[in-house]
Amino acid sequence: MIYKKNKLTIDHLDIGNIAKKFKTPIYCYSLKTIEANIKNIKSHFKSINPLICYAVKANSNLGILKEIKKNNLGADVVSVGELMKALKAGISPKKIVFSGVGKTYEEIEYAINRNILLINTESKSEILQIEKIAKKKKKIVNIGIRLNPNTDAKTLSQISTGKKENKFGVAQKTFLKLVNMAKKSEILNLKCLSVHIGSQILSHKPYQKMLSVVSKVIKLSNYKFEYVDLGGGMGIDYNHDHSKLDLKKYSIEIKKFLKANKCKIIFEPGRSIVGNSSILITKIIYIKEGFKKDFVILDAAMNDLMRPALYGAKHKIIPLNKIKKISKKSYEFVGPVCESTDTFSTIKRYQKLNEKDYLAICDVGAYGMSLASNYNLRPKPLEILIKNSKVQILNKRQKISDLI
Ligand SMILES: *Cc1c(COP(=O)(O)O)cnc(C)c1O
């Protein structure tokens, strides 16, 4: 994504032309960026040789999943719907792990039928449920147990998952009991210890702490885990100030861990694969004068991109056409939805904007479209992929008539 003669382009295509042709709002993905992200992760962890299972919940568009499959990634799924879609994209069941605290009977049954790599369990009840279904099907089932390492990921509290007050995983004491329980099972094959401490993690230190807890627990359990699944969470540079996770430092910590614990590492990255691969192209409907600032009312809203309303997350907003003139008043960028949380950000000294101007909300590839809803009965946006400097339609814009 670069400006050429003050016009925003992706892969040589003028985004302004795309906006005019297809109408807004549009999720516009760049295949080049997705592939660069995959390559970057693979190269940093090359000597570790991990199994990389893309977290489908970050973006479950079928076209995107197919591209990810072509790059030989597996999948981490959290519902039967995601599992079906990963399989439909051609991802091998041998590279699929199933996570989540509340897998239903039907979901477990489906996963067992499809012989996926691992079901990562999160409670005693769930292990008993899986055992019951496995017995009924007379099938050996590979499971993992998710440890809650009580590690602060130092990220937004709403996307923290590895502290003891969070619902995810089981505490060390329970973990050790469950290992003993699973060991005795004739039909369950305990293969994995899994952890996932949160999302948008910007420092390697929480991972370092998490790894030391995992090491300790493995020792205490006196059990040989074939896999250690470290989850996802690798943070990306939303502020465009180079504040992303240092993968090199993280990989050094993992190498130290592997010296003491021989196992195969699994990663479940979501955001770091697709997060910076998409912009949400939007048009200004109105500009409305407020007391101290002007409201820039966009045709994209919280139903299209919920992260700001849900977590207070910030996304850069950039113009498709750059000009020099600066606005005297601050701008607050908002959507048309009838909620006060339908606001993206307030920016001082932005370039002077006019009604009908186009803007791009940046880094919306992860937890953007996958969290979109029809709130206020608004149709979900068009999704396109820029691939070899051509536009591929990934998903048509919903029609209002489909919603009525
Ligand atoms: C959401 C989730 C991920 C992906 O997290 P990212 O921050 O997008 O990398 C991985 N594993 C589990 C279990 C998750 O719930």
Side-chain angles (χ1 to χ4, degrees):
M1 193 170 73
I2 47 166
Y3 283 99
K4 278 188 193 162
K5 293 186 184 147
N6 294 321
K7 288 180 173 184
L8 190 70
T9 65
I10 295 179
D11 222 359
H12 312 294
L13 295 185
D14 181 336
I15 302 302
N17 290 339
I18 291 176
K20 272 176 227 140
K21 181 170 173 196
F22 293 100
K23 304 276 190 321
T24 51
I26 309 168
Y27 271 95
C28 174
Y29 302 88
S30 153
L31 181 59
K32 258 195 189 156
T33 306
I34 294 174
E35 291 189 327
N37 290 339
I38 294 173
K39 223 169 155 185
N40 184 36
I41 292 179
K42 280 186 180 168
S43 74
H44 275 97
F45 298 105
K46 200 168 176 191
S47 64
I48 294 165
N49 191 26
L51 172 62
I52 304 174
C53 296
Y54 166 68
V56 173
K57 77 173 188 289
N59 190 307
S60 56
N61 184 289
L62 189 62
I64 302 271
L65 289 179
K66 283 182 179 164
E67 298 297 344
I68 284 170
K69 191 260 158 191
K70 278 186 212 157
N71 284 272
N72 293 318
L73 267 52
D76 165 52
V77 300
V78 293
S79 71
V80 73
E82 285 188 1
L83 173 52
M84 288 171 170
K85 218 164 173 185
L87 291 167
K88 187 167 176 180
I91 295 172
S92 159
K94 288 283 148 243
K95 285 186 181 177
I96 297 181
V97 300
F98 196 161
S99 307
V101 293
K103 300 172 213 75
T104 64
Y105 187 98
E106 290 76 19
E107 289 183 310
I108 295 165
E109 195 173 37
Y110 188 88
I112 292 176
N113 283 341
R114 302 305 301 260
N115 302 310
I116 66 168
L117 177 65
L118 282 170
I119 303 178
N120 282 339
T121 63
E122 303 212 16
S123 62
K124 181 178 173 185
S125 303
E126 191 185 30
I127 295 176
L128 293 173
Q129 177 86 309
I130 295 171
E131 192 174 39
K132 190 166 122 193
I133 302 169
K135 275 184 184 155
K136 195 176 128 202
K137 303 212 162 277
K138 299 191 175 63
K139 244 175 158 172
I140 306 278
V141 175
N142 298 331
I143 64 163
I145 304 175
R146 178 163 171 182
L147 172 72
N148 182 324
N150 192 20
T151 310
D152 188 347
K154 307 269 182 214
T155 183
L156 294 170
S157 65
Q158 301 97 322
I159 52 176
S160 228
T161 56
K163 289 194 275 184
K164 61 177 187 293
E165 59 267 34
N166 299 130
K167 70 178 173 182
F168 299 99
V170 295
Q172 182 180 315
K173 232 171 104 187
T174 315
F175 184 90
L176 297 172
K177 277 190 205 154
L178 295 182
V179 170
N180 279 326
M181 186 177 116
K183 264 199 292 202
K184 287 183 199 127
S185 170
E186 282 159 17
I187 201 133
L188 298 180
N189 191 0
L190 176 60
K191 286 199 156 190
C192 178
L193 178 156
S194 81
V195 277
H196 170 72
I197 57 173
S199 201
Q200 185 55 13
I201 298 168
L202 291 170
S203 157
H204 67 287
K205 298 231 170 86
Y207 284 120
Q208 188 181 6
K209 282 189 191 147
M210 164 188 100
L211 286 164
S212 82
V213 176
V214 171
S215 251
K216 185 182 81 186
V217 172
I218 291 178
K219 247 188 225 118
L220 289 170
S221 74
N222 195 24
Y223 186 79
K224 171 126 192 40
F225 290 94
E226 187 178 335
Y227 298 99
V228 169
D229 180 343
L230 298 177
M234 299 164 194
I236 66 168
D237 182 18
Y238 282 111
N239 302 332
H240 297 184
D241 62 1
H242 308 288
S243 58
K244 60 184 177 200
L245 176 71
D246 187 333
L247 294 183
K248 193 166 171 203
K249 286 185 178 157
Y250 186 22
S251 80
I252 290 169
E253 296 305 324
I254 298 173
K255 277 181 221 160
K256 281 190 218 156
F257 169 84
L258 285 172
K259 280 203 180 120
N261 304 280
K262 256 186 88 79
C263 62
K264 174 96 174 167
I265 294 290
I266 300 176
F267 286 126
E268 302 168 344
R271 190 187 309 277
S272 50
I273 305 279
V274 290
N276 66 348
S277 76
S278 182
I279 53 174
L280 178 57
I281 310 170
T282 177
K283 190 175 173 177
I284 300 172
I285 307 174
Y286 300 121
I287 297 177
K288 165 171 155 166
E289 221 176 297
F291 290 101
K292 285 196 173 148
K293 57 193 170 187
D294 285 347
F295 291 101
V296 179
I297 304 169
L298 308 174
D299 67 358
M302 65 183 283
N303 74 296
D304 306 301
L305 176 66
M306 188 150 69
R307 297 189 69 253
L310 190 62
Y311 316 130
K314 288 276 174 269
H315 288 263
K316 284 252 170 210
I317 300 178
I318 59 174
L320 295 199
N321 279 308
K322 252 208 273 206
I323 57 162
K324 288 253 157 60
K325 196 168 172 203
I326 302 288
S327 162
K328 288 197 187 82
K329 277 162 93 182
S330 300
Y331 286 137
E332 178 167 353
F333 295 89
V334 301
V337 161
C338 299
E339 293 286 344
S340 289
T341 54
D342 184 26
T343 175
F344 294 111
S345 59
T346 304
I347 305 177
K348 273 185 208 160
R349 292 191 54 75
Y350 203 83
Q351 78 172 40
K352 177 95 179 103
L353 294 172
N354 293 298
E355 295 181 349
K356 298 194 177 66
D357 279 357
Y358 291 109
L359 300 166
I361 307 178
C362 299
D363 310 307
V364 295
Y367 310 102
M369 191 61 180
S370 63
L371 274 167
S373 78
N374 291 121
Y375 187 42
N376 279 206
L377 220 62
R378 289 166 52 87
K380 288 190 197 173
L382 169 75
E383 287 176 286
I384 61 173
L385 178 69
I386 298 185
K387 181 174 175 176
N388 305 323
S389 299
K390 288 204 181 74
V391 173
Q392 179 191 330
I393 307 283
L394 288 175
N395 221 347
K396 286 185 191 152
R397 185 185 311 285
Q398 275 183 330
K399 290 198 193 92
I400 292 182
S401 56
D402 295 340
L403 305 178
I404 295 168

